[in-house]
Amino acid sequence: MNKSKRVQKKGRGWAVLLMLAALLVVSACSANNSGKDAGSNGTKAKTVRIGYQKYASVNIMKERGGLEEKLKEAGYVVEWTEFPGGPQLLEALNVGSIDFGHTGEAPPIFAQAAGAPLVYLAHSPESPKAESILVPENSPIQSSADLKGKKIALNKGSNVHYLLVKYLEREGLAYSDVEVVYLPPADARAAFESGNVDAWVIWEPFYSVAQLATKARVLADGEGLVKNYEFYLASRDFAKSNTKAVDVILDQLEETDKWAKDNQPEVAKLLAPALGLDAAPLEQALAHRGWGVIRVSDETLQAQQSIADTFFKLELIPSELKVSDAVIK
């Protein structure tokens, strides 16, 4: 091999090496940058895992958009997970699958009793008309007295569980006077429409959807019985270590509610495709709720303590608990 060919071969060898080196640099840069996309200051982004249910302010905030951009500025990316109800959402929080979520009043009581490391952050205003006890259109049940011995479906540990307790208490009936059947919303509606249960205690938007579709009658709603707060909760470790993210989420929820309160028909149209529902029942559901974000106070915790005490007396939770333990002091 002459000198010219040896030089050419050596040159090609260096070219290959340089190409490989360049590829390694690009690959390394891609790997290093993969976790930085959400960080406005070039630091690796953290992930906040948000659990949500169909309907309510967190769902509206997700569909409207805006939270991702605000959290990106603070160095976070978002992962969303949908749940059929509050108990299921808080079970995920308990096992560390999510960091932040929203539920009604009762689920945090059951979750705290089960040892979930949750903390209360804030809540919505009262929305007592956003849950009800439904009976079929042609049901012979006309009053509370007619419920004796009847089967009543509800999602165990949910807000409506407490509504039924307070309704029976007000009407002079014992919890044991009725047969409570624990079913999630989809199964409960099927049982309700087939006649396998006599009544259904349910929250929005399932309440309005079922009522308008089946012409079900409202035996009672939560007015005068329950406050029906929507609570915003987080795992204790997340709340303590990520105060910036918590503040961003709550601020964005407040902004979402201010917009939604004045634009309810638009909110219904926004949610309808995401929930697979018509806008009409969503408009009715939205009219039943309060809007705004209120930080948790001693008064709120005392109201939650009353729920916990009631559930303990009914042996629905295994031991007494102190609700105020579930706050960051």
Side-chain angles (χ1 to χ4, degrees):
M1 182 181 293
N2 62 36
K3 183 177 180 181
S4 158
K5 290 184 177 180
R6 284 200 303 270
V7 170
Q8 288 177 2
K9 186 174 181 181
K10 188 174 181 181
R12 287 196 297 269
W14 277 110
V16 170
L17 288 174
L18 286 171
M19 288 176 64
L20 288 173
L23 286 171
L24 288 172
V25 170
V26 170
S27 177
C29 288
S30 297
N32 288 337
N33 289 334
S34 63
K36 294 182 180 180
D37 291 344
S40 60
N41 58 1
T43 59
K44 185 177 180 181
K46 297 180 181 179
T47 300
V48 52
R49 300 165 301 170
I50 300 178
Y52 72 99
Q53 303 175 57
K54 287 186 174 182
Y55 185 65
S57 296
V58 175
N59 197 179
I60 297 169
M61 177 175 66
K62 176 181 181 293
E63 296 305 322
R64 187 185 183 214
L67 178 65
E68 286 85 351
E69 290 75 13
K70 295 291 185 181
L71 281 174
K72 182 176 181 179
E73 294 171 7
Y76 291 84
V77 293
V78 184
E79 288 181 2
W80 299 93
T81 304
E82 181 186 314
F83 295 89
Q88 295 88 343
L89 185 153
L90 289 181
E91 176 56 30
L93 186 144
N94 189 24
V95 299
S97 297
I98 62 170
D99 306 304
F100 178 96
H102 63 112
T103 78
E105 296 162 319
I109 302 298
F110 285 88
Q112 188 180 354
L118 64 87
V119 291
Y120 292 88
L121 301 171
H123 60 86
S124 70
E126 297 179 19
S127 301
K129 289 186 173 294
E131 56 184 7
S132 71
I133 302 172
L134 297 178
V135 296
E137 180 185 15
N138 298 317
S139 171
I141 297 172
Q142 299 294 329
S143 68
S144 58
D146 299 325
L147 285 176
K148 277 193 174 183
K150 297 297 192 295
K151 292 181 179 180
I152 303 177
L154 58 81
N155 194 47
K156 184 178 182 180
S158 65
N159 240 28
V160 294
H161 204 153
Y162 188 58
L163 170 59
L164 178 63
V165 169
K166 297 305 290 182
Y167 176 74
L168 295 174
E169 182 183 283
R170 186 185 71 181
E171 299 298 306
L173 295 173
Y175 190 75
S176 57
D177 284 336
V178 300
E179 182 180 346
V180 179
V181 180
Y182 297 132
L183 293 171
D187 295 336
R189 178 168 175 178
F192 182 75
E193 292 190 25
S194 65
N196 288 328
V197 296
D198 303 291
W200 181 21
V201 198
I202 188 60
W203 65 90
E204 294 288 16
F206 304 105
Y207 154 24
S208 286
V209 171
Q211 184 194 18
L212 294 179
T214 69
K215 298 182 180 179
R217 288 187 286 110
V218 177
L219 186 64
D221 61 26
E223 190 72 30
L225 291 170
V226 296
K227 295 182 182 298
N228 193 28
Y229 290 134
E230 184 79 8
F231 279 104
Y232 303 114
L233 308 114
S235 69
R236 181 174 291 275
D237 285 347
F238 178 82
K240 289 178 69 174
S241 303
N242 298 273
T243 55
K244 184 185 294 185
V246 168
D247 287 341
V248 168
I249 295 169
L250 295 180
D251 288 346
Q252 194 65 19
L253 279 167
E254 179 68 36
E255 183 179 320
T256 297
D257 270 17
K258 286 180 180 177
W259 170 79
K261 182 180 180 180
D262 298 327
N263 297 277
Q264 293 182 33
E266 189 175 343
V267 175
K269 291 176 183 177
L270 177 69
L271 288 179
L275 305 187
L277 300 173
D278 293 333
L282 285 173
E283 284 196 50
Q284 175 176 299
L286 291 166
H288 287 161
R289 60 163 298 159
W291 302 96
V293 177
I294 303 167
R295 295 282 181 160
V296 169
S297 65
D298 291 340
E299 182 181 356
T300 307
L301 295 175
Q302 186 53 53
Q304 283 295 95
Q305 188 64 54
S306 296
I307 298 175
D309 294 342
T310 298
F311 283 159
F312 175 66
K313 289 175 184 176
L314 291 171
E315 298 182 350
L316 293 172
I317 57 175
S319 59
E320 291 183 284
L321 60 83
K322 189 177 179 182
V323 171
S324 59
D325 288 341
V327 294
I328 296 177
K329 300 173 182 178

